[in-house]
Amino acid sequence: MDKKIRTRFAPSPTGRMHVGNLRTALYAYLIAKHEGGDFLLRIEDTDQERFVEGALEIIYRTLKKAGLTHDEGPDKDGGCGPYVQSERQAAGIYLEYAKKLIDRGEAYYCFCDKERLESLKQEVAGKEIMVYDKHCLHLTKEEVEEKLAAGVPYVIRQNNPTEGTTTFEDEIYGDITVDNAELDDMILIKSDGYPTYNFANVVDDHLMGITHVVRGNEYLSSSPKYNRLYDAFGWEVPVYVHCPLITDEEHHKLSKRSGHSSFEDLLDQGFLPEVIVNFVALLGWSPEDNREIFTLEELVDAFDYHHISKSPAVFDYTKLKWMNGEYLKSMEFDRFYSLAEPYLKEVITKDLDLRKIASMVKTRIEVFPDIAEHVDFFQELPEYDTAMYAHKKMKTTKETSLAVLKDLLPLLEAQEDYSNDALYGVLQGYAAEKGYKNGYVLWPVRTAVSGRQMTPAGATEIMEVLGREESLIRIKKGIELLEA
């Protein structure tokens, strides 16, 4: 019987969640759920210097809004809380395992001070790096014990070979081989007693039974060191799934300066959480049928990590906006209105039917902040150029528009019923009586009541929302402008 798949998302609480981290979480979730497995959450907070206040809440909030529910973890209330590395560190787990490696000759105490380490720095390809020279590996057992007893500060380093090669297999990139000479003796336990990210990562993945490790391809170069740790302990190596880089449209690494690099950046810009998840799933993965619109449940069903690409994924902002627009078009209206209402109220403070206005823009916007530019004329008639009254296709000019508006004014003043159907009947009846095409009449009216060349609805729909008094004021204003 195949082993149950177990994946994890292991973020560090350092700020807003980058799109790349969200994709890692999503892919780990989809890989597990596609096979009926478990998805775990582990907070990797052992680097106290990088800890950002409030970042934990951002992680929890992001995963909740994205729908990525984890399956287990220590929680005092009986639920599924996350595993937290700082809590596990306090229990001495990582130091215990580091000492096991020391006993096996796979790690050693290093007492070198800052000055000595500085002296080991060298410039390689224009970068200053420090390659440790295994100095403390050669200390005798007695010398080590003496320094420990004297309280000399130390770190614990991995003892990597300097000759030969190490090969590991990645599900996306295949077999990757590195020279052992490139494997520095990385620190496992820091001088403050905390484990490094790399060491805690391996220990926790083993203890939690993680079968598939999903992460960005920036960790490819570290994987041989991880594998040597697995081998040193005699543990089974997990399946590695390294995801491709995400770039902007100029093929530069997606950075915070781009303005849309995090989940919360995108929420702030009016994107739906489910759209962000759908879009992020396609950053490096594509289904066999090239379909693009998925619910999270449909992604679980369709996701096959063997279809993840090696090539960098381009964050196409235009495509994201298109996708959000598609979701809005198909959204049930009551939900759309509940989400659109705050944006409408920012622009329109008059007592108008916001539901009708929302229905006008539902199929015309891509993100909610687009609403303002479509509806602000309802709040106040903008200043406009009377040249807009001339429309080649409608065969209107400023002169014909003035004549139409002056003819219509008494009819509209006499009209009490300002519902869309009733108004349309009046305008259509006038056009039929005069032998005009409908557009010849409707274009000047729409221009007068909106002051816009492009509107989310027709003339009579706009007038219905504005009401009799405001509609007449605007038509009179149009006549006044055309007569000037």
Side-chain angles (χ1 to χ4, degrees):
M1 182 179 175
D2 291 338
K3 185 189 292 187
K4 186 177 186 181
I5 286 183
R6 286 168 65 84
T7 64
R8 50 66 173 172
F9 176 50
S12 298
T14 57
R16 287 191 163 194
M17 191 181 293
H18 189 274
V19 165
N21 288 339
L22 177 62
R23 183 186 63 177
T24 298
L26 176 61
Y27 283 10
Y29 177 87
L30 296 175
I31 288 170
K33 295 305 169 185
H34 183 74
E35 299 292 341
D38 295 327
F39 169 69
L40 280 60
L41 174 62
R42 186 173 72 228
I43 304 300
E44 302 204 333
D45 59 347
T46 56
D47 190 343
Q48 295 295 293
E49 290 181 3
R50 296 181 66 225
F51 184 89
V52 174
E53 197 67 38
L56 273 176
E57 288 67 31
I58 290 175
I59 292 170
Y60 302 147
R61 187 166 64 240
T62 297
L63 294 179
K64 183 176 181 181
K65 287 183 177 179
L68 308 183
T69 306
H70 57 279
D71 290 303
E72 67 176 51
D75 187 83
K76 297 180 180 66
D77 299 322
C80 291
Y83 292 96
V84 180
Q85 281 188 338
S86 59
E87 294 174 2
R88 295 165 68 75
Q89 186 271 341
I93 291 172
Y94 307 112
L95 184 59
E96 173 193 342
Y97 278 93
K99 287 180 176 178
K100 286 182 180 180
L101 290 179
I102 290 174
D103 292 341
R104 298 178 183 198
E106 299 286 353
Y108 57 94
Y109 290 102
C110 174
F111 300 94
C112 292
D113 58 24
K114 188 176 180 180
E115 288 70 30
R116 183 172 193 282
L117 295 175
E118 284 288 332
S119 72
L120 296 175
K121 286 185 176 179
Q122 53 186 281
E123 193 169 299
V124 177
K127 288 186 178 180
E128 194 175 52
I129 63 169
M130 195 282 290
V131 178
Y132 190 65
D133 60 358
K134 292 184 179 287
H135 174 76
C136 289
L137 175 63
H138 307 297
L139 295 175
T140 65
K141 186 177 180 181
E142 290 72 26
E143 287 174 317
V144 170
E145 289 175 353
E146 182 182 325
K147 289 180 181 292
L148 290 174
V152 178
Y154 68 86
V155 298
I156 296 178
R157 291 183 180 274
Q158 183 179 10
N159 183 17
N160 279 318
T162 56
E163 297 179 353
T165 60
T166 295
T167 299
F168 77 97
E169 182 185 3
D170 179 73
E171 291 295 301
I172 310 304
Y173 292 88
D175 285 347
I176 295 177
T177 299
V178 298
D179 290 329
N180 288 337
E182 297 176 14
L183 303 181
D184 187 26
D185 284 0
M186 69 174 179
I187 294 172
L188 307 181
I189 301 292
K190 295 177 287 187
S191 57
D192 61 6
Y194 274 81
T196 57
Y197 169 86
N198 293 323
F199 184 56
N201 206 282
V202 169
V203 172
D204 281 341
D205 281 348
H206 171 73
L207 295 179
M208 295 174 187
I210 301 304
T211 61
H212 291 62
V213 170
V214 184
R215 56 187 174 221
N217 68 359
E218 65 269 25
Y219 291 101
L220 274 171
S221 60
S222 301
S223 296
K225 298 177 186 179
Y226 299 151
N227 276 18
R228 295 206 65 83
L229 287 173
Y230 280 104
D231 292 342
F233 281 119
W235 295 340
E236 184 178 350
V237 176
V239 174
Y240 288 120
V241 181
H242 285 90
C243 307
L245 181 71
I246 300 175
T247 72
D248 60 22
E249 288 94 337
E250 279 72 50
H251 303 288
H252 301 132
K253 185 176 180 180
L254 194 65
S255 70
K256 291 180 180 178
R257 290 191 298 275
S258 71
H260 51 256
S261 66
S262 82
F263 181 77
E264 294 205 336
D265 286 341
L266 296 172
L267 291 180
D268 291 345
Q269 291 166 37
F271 291 99
L272 298 165
E274 59 266 42
V275 174
I276 301 170
V277 169
N278 186 164
F279 178 76
V280 166
L282 300 174
L283 290 176
W285 170 83
S286 58
E288 288 181 310
D289 59 2
N290 292 318
R291 177 181 166 191
E292 293 190 302
I293 304 297
F294 290 90
T295 64
L296 183 58
E297 293 73 22
E298 288 167 342
L299 283 170
V300 167
D301 187 55
F303 196 80
D304 179 350
Y305 66 81
H306 296 98
H307 290 160
I308 295 175
S309 172
K310 296 178 186 177
S311 304
V314 177
F315 190 105
D316 185 341
Y317 194 71
T318 301
K319 182 176 179 179
L320 175 60
K321 290 188 77 172
W322 165 81
M323 185 178 284
N324 203 74
E326 292 301 299
Y327 268 76
L328 295 181
K329 286 173 188 172
S330 62
M331 184 180 287
E332 186 267 329
F333 181 75
D334 283 344
R335 185 186 173 212
F336 174 82
Y337 179 69
S338 69
L339 295 170
E341 187 180 22
Y343 293 90
L344 289 164
K345 286 184 173 179
E346 276 186 18
V347 183
I348 300 172
T349 57
K350 290 181 176 180
D351 184 20
L352 300 178
D353 190 335
L354 296 184
R355 287 182 70 88
K356 281 184 180 175
I357 297 174
S359 68
M360 293 176 183
V361 299
K362 186 172 182 288
T363 61
R364 293 173 176 267
I365 63 170
E366 292 184 317
V367 288
F368 288 112
D370 289 349
I371 285 175
E373 66 189 68
H374 286 279
V375 306
D376 56 359
F377 70 87
F378 281 107
Q379 175 67 17
E380 185 177 2
L381 182 69
E383 291 186 11
Y384 64 93
D385 189 337
T386 54
M388 283 199 303
Y389 282 101
H391 194 292
K392 200 171 184 181
K393 186 179 177 183
M394 302 298 177
K395 297 182 178 178
T396 62
T397 64
K398 289 201 284 187
E399 291 73 23
T400 63
S401 294
L402 175 61
V404 166
L405 292 179
K406 290 179 80 170
D407 277 354
L408 285 173
L409 182 60
L411 299 177
L412 293 171
E413 285 178 323
Q415 180 69 20
E416 292 297 329
D417 183 354
Y418 261 64
S419 66
N420 176 47
D421 289 345
L423 287 167
Y424 192 77
V426 170
L427 300 188
Q428 192 178 41
Y430 166 77
E433 181 187 327
K434 293 285 189 177
Y436 298 150
K437 289 188 175 180
N438 286 345
Y440 187 86
V441 173
L442 292 170
W443 180 259
V445 175
R446 183 161 73 91
T447 302
V449 296
S450 70
R452 285 288 176 80
Q453 200 150 21
M454 303 288 291
T455 58
T460 55
E461 293 169 292
I462 292 169
M463 292 169 73
E464 179 182 49
V465 171
L466 289 173
R468 182 178 182 278
E469 183 181 351
E470 181 64 20
S471 296
L472 291 173
I473 288 172
R474 293 186 179 200
I475 287 172
K476 288 174 183 177
K477 175 72 172 176
I479 293 170
E480 180 186 319
L481 289 171
L482 286 166
E483 287 181 329

